[in-house]
Amino acid sequence: DNRHFWVAAYTERRVLVEGWGYTARSLAQVTDVNRQSPAFVPFRDRTRLAANDAAFVTPSARTIGHLRDRYGVRWLFVDETVNVPPRALGRFARFRYRSGSCAVYQIPTR
């Protein structure tokens, strides 16, 4: 469901990919004709979404470094009620904080 934006809301920080379902661009794609839910409108930047997903699905020096170098990402937020990342994530980003099912990792600088 692409309508969640609580990480950005609670942290008051920018997030690379989160909750695009309520954006003007996404809502403009929803019409009464097709009755498509905003929850299923695809993300506008497939390359960015693929880079974000790769860092959590197949973490490596390359995938994590790409987020850092291309998009300026310094932190990774994981909601483990949605997806538990592979243990390898901890080899490429340093675990920094946990609260309940949420974990925060810091991406090392170059």
Side-chain angles (χ1 to χ4, degrees), residues 59-73:
S60 67
R62 187 179 132 281
T63 60
I64 301 294
H66 182 68
L67 288 183
R68 179 194 59 225
D69 299 342
R70 172 70 174 96
Y71 298 105
V73 174

Side-chain angles (χ1 to χ4, degrees), residues 38-104:
F40 301 108
V41 173
F43 190 63
R44 63 177 173 79
D45 186 340
R46 296 288 187 180
T47 303
R48 180 182 299 224
L49 182 60
N52 181 80
D53 292 352
F56 292 98
V57 175
T58 56
S60 67
R62 187 179 132 281
T63 60
I64 301 294
H66 182 68
L67 288 183
R68 179 194 59 225
D69 299 342
R70 172 70 174 96
Y71 298 105
V73 174
R74 299 181 320 184
W75 300 90
L76 300 174
F77 179 89
V78 180
D79 177 356
E80 294 176 349
T81 63
V82 176
N83 190 16
V84 177
R87 289 182 188 251
L89 181 61
R91 291 195 335 232
F92 306 103
R94 186 173 180 190
F95 172 77
R96 289 294 194 175
Y97 178 77
R98 172 175 302 285
S99 180
S101 61
C102 298
V104 177

